[in-house]
């Protein structure tokens, strides 16, 4: 997206993952302030089976949204409306492909169950305990996929807008020419 000079494609990726990134912020702030993970989306970092390389590579969850917003603000504006349409199309295609081509779990070499749930195509992460989000977990695709797509796409859009609004003021102060929102 950056090399193609297509801010809509970059912004779409920011929209696509906003919930996950914000939940990371909430969990880490909760852990720093109380020693507990309020949402538990980062709970896998504390699993004994999580390798150090995965823990280290998880830093991108903290940096991705600010970097997307800063990169897009260098141009004309943040095209959030068009980016949402791109992200929506991506999630529909990805969810359908993942649900029908990957299992929820597989047996590992030693007989242990390996949790896949690629792109949340079966359920919300197991450590997430918010009941209303999980109400269609493991349901038939005709029930689960529209529910999950509705929840995550509109949630992503709302949270991305909030993150953008937080970053726009300082970006404008530092003279970023595209520190505005367009649709």
């Amino acid at each position: 997206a950056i090399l193609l000079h297509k801010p809509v494609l970059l912004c779409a990726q920011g929209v696509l993952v906003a919930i996950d990134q914000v939940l990371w912020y909430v969990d880490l702030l909760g852990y720093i302030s109380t020693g507990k993970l309020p949402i538990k989306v980062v709970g896998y970092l504390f699993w004994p089976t999580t390798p150090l390389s995965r823990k280290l590579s998880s830093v991108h969850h903290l940096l991705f949204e600010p970097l997307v917003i800063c990169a897009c603000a260098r141009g004309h504006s943040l095209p959030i409306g068009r980016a949402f349409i791109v992200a929506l199309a991506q999630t529909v295609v990805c969810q359908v492909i993942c649900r029908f081509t990957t299992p929820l779990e597989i047996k590992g070499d030693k007989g242990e169950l390996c949790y896949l749930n690629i792109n949340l195509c079966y359920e919300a992460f197991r450590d997430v305990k918010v009941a209303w989000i999980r109400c269609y977990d493991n349901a038939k695709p005709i029930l689960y996929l529209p529910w999950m797509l509705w929840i995550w796409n509109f949630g992503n859009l709302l949270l991305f807008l909030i993150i953008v609004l937080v970053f726009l003021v300082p970006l404008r102060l530092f003279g970023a020419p595209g520190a505005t929102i367009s649709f």
Side-chain angles (χ1 to χ4, degrees):
I2 293 172
L3 296 175
L4 296 173
H5 302 288
K6 300 285 185 188
V8 69
L9 298 179
L10 181 59
C11 195
Q13 303 322 298
V15 171
L16 194 65
V17 297
I19 288 176
D20 185 45
Q21 308 308 304
V22 169
L23 293 178
W24 263 76
Y25 299 149
V26 170
D27 262 0
L28 291 177
L29 288 173
Y31 189 74
I32 290 167
S33 63
T34 68
K36 297 183 186 215
L37 302 171
I39 311 234
K40 297 190 176 129
V41 78
V42 303
Y44 73 91
L45 292 176
F46 299 98
W47 295 349
T49 56
T50 303
L52 179 61
S53 60
R54 186 163 183 200
K55 292 176 182 181
L56 293 175
S57 69
S58 294
V59 170
H60 79 275
H61 288 286
L62 302 174
L63 303 175
F64 185 72
E65 294 293 356
L67 292 175
V68 164
I69 294 165
C70 289
C72 287
R74 292 178 51 212
H76 298 294
S77 66
L78 282 91
I80 294 175
R82 290 178 294 144
F84 175 69
I85 300 300
V86 171
L88 180 64
Q90 281 183 278
T91 57
V92 169
V93 170
C94 287
Q95 295 309 87
V96 170
I97 289 171
C98 289
R99 181 61 185 250
F100 293 107
T101 62
T102 63
L104 175 63
E105 300 172 319
I106 59 170
K107 277 201 174 196
D109 294 337
K110 298 174 185 168
E112 77 283 3
L113 282 179
C114 298
Y115 183 61
L116 297 180
N117 195 26
I118 308 292
N119 289 325
L120 304 178
C121 67
Y122 286 92
E123 63 185 17
F125 288 118
R126 289 181 176 165
D127 287 343
V128 175
K129 304 300 181 199
V130 182
W132 66 270
I133 289 176
R134 301 187 64 96
C135 70
Y136 289 107
D137 280 7
N138 296 303
K140 292 180 180 181
I142 194 73
L143 293 173
Y144 175 73
L145 291 177
W147 171 253
M148 186 278 307
L149 288 164
W150 180 85
I151 292 282
W152 296 112
N153 280 303
F154 286 102
N156 277 330
L157 177 62
L158 176 66
L159 290 176
F160 188 72
L161 281 168
I162 291 169
I163 297 167
V164 165
L165 292 174
V166 167
F167 276 90
L168 283 185
V169 172
L171 286 170
R172 283 188 191 142
L173 289 173
F174 289 108
T180 59
I181 296 173
S182 66
F183 293 92

